[in-house]
Amino acid sequence: MKTFIVPENIAISDSGFIFLPSTGETFTLNELGKQIFKLLQAKKTIEEISSEILKEYDIDTLTLERDIEDFILRLKSLNLVTQV
Amino acid sequence: MKIAITGLNATDNPGPGVPVIRSLRHSKEFDGEIIGFIYDVLEPGIYMENLTRKNYLIPYPSSGLENLYERLAYIQQQEKIDVIIPTLDSELFGFVKLEDKLKELGIKMFLPSFEQLNIRAKDKLFDFCTDNNIYVPKNILVSSVLDLHKIPEEFDYPVVVKGIFYDAYIVNNLEEAKTAFLKISSKWGLPIIVQEFLKGDEFNVVALGDGTGMTVGAVAMRKLYITDKGKGWAGITIFDNNLIEISKKVIESIKWRSGMELEFIKSSETGQYYLLEINPRFPAWVYLAPNAGQNLPYALLQLALGKKVEQFDKYNVGTIFVRSSWDLFTDISVLEKITTKGEI
């Protein structure tokens, strides 16, 4: 089971705006991205995130988990999460 | 108390004078008068309302220090200035040379020594960094076009061709290197610095050293918007302990006495910060520092007056500056007065 860590100094606002204080970079997430990011901050696994999202969206689990993995891969490339 | 400040050239390549004045005024404790020292009658700072009480034209140090001293002695008779804060690279050597004579006139300054100015000079920076285990781009000094043929022995293209004082070009081959060499050497003289080109993001630090090795404060910034002249038109305060620690190490090693700007590049290959330049004065974006919680120009003024200052230990991250251009209007009589009388 993969778990991820969002560095402590990264904060996300209610509007989905992320500021990386060590580099000055900023990012904007949409509603779903923000929801997933906050779940990652709460140290949830992909499976746990997926079951949260499935409560609200009508999508098959496999596609959803693949999309979440893609999204996390993008976050990792931007140094917004690290994998444990 | 009267403070005279240079560098009121708030143009698209702005001098630090106006932001230093705004920083001093930012302090609730400041109740001095500001006198502007200008080199050109069209320096925008003198046309800004309520920025300075009076302005004086002064001669460039390159026109002879005796001329500069005579002018300053005349101004001192009129004004009884307590402190001069020179803010431009090109005038620093002159003011350092005049420091003792101006002290006799009752004028205080807070400047680095000749030795300190020399250590951070562009042609000496590589040795200084190597001696102090600070990452620095490799470079060679060249004095003739023929020397440029050595470039492939030392680095791969592209490389950066830099002047000893100002100007830099990224060049991709020998022909471009020759053009850059001729352009820079005709304007700024020799030697020319050929430097390894590093890919990465640029970061800047504004800092103040008290002359004993202590860093009074240091604020890091990343440029958010860069003009075609390479000047930051917007920036944001950031914090990376590594960046601040390198800056403190520089100040401690040189025992830097004054304001300074350190320019870094964070290599996208190695993730390390490489020191590109040490500018021996506050940068034009210095007003970001008081807005983020460290009023470094006001602290420099206190040091110049011989007062003790507290070390700053934090600042707000995420404070943004955005420059704007703003037309000022005045009557021809203003220009006439400053042109003919040299003061206004």
Side-chain angles (χ1 to χ4, degrees), chain B residues 1-5 20-21 23-25 27 29-34 81-85 108-110 208 216 258-259 282 295-309:
Chain B
M1 183 173 46
K2 286 186 187 174
I3 322 295
I5 292 171
V20 166
I21 294 170
S23 300
L24 296 182
R25 294 241 166 86
S27 166
E29 293 157 30
F30 180 74
D31 64 352
E33 276 185 16
I34 304 284
I81 288 165
D82 296 287
V83 175
I84 297 179
I85 304 179
K108 300 180 180 80
M109 293 188 286
F110 197 72
L208 172 64
V216 177
S258 194
F282 286 133
N295 198 334
L296 302 178
Y298 185 70
L300 179 139
L301 174 64
Q302 299 305 300
L303 290 169
L305 291 167
K307 295 181 183 172
K308 277 196 173 173
V309 295

Side-chain angles (χ1 to χ4, degrees), chain A residues 10-48:
Chain A
I10 296 178
I12 181 166
S13 73
D14 288 342
S15 60
F17 189 75
I18 295 176
F19 172 53
L20 209 53
S22 59
T23 64
E25 289 167 290
T26 55
F27 307 92
T28 312
L29 299 181
N30 64 16
E31 202 52 42
L32 185 57
K34 184 180 78 181
Q35 194 179 348
I36 296 172
F37 193 79
K38 285 192 167 176
L39 289 165
L40 286 167
Q41 276 185 314
K43 298 190 171 51
K44 303 287 183 194
T45 62
I46 291 181
E47 293 73 19
E48 288 166 329

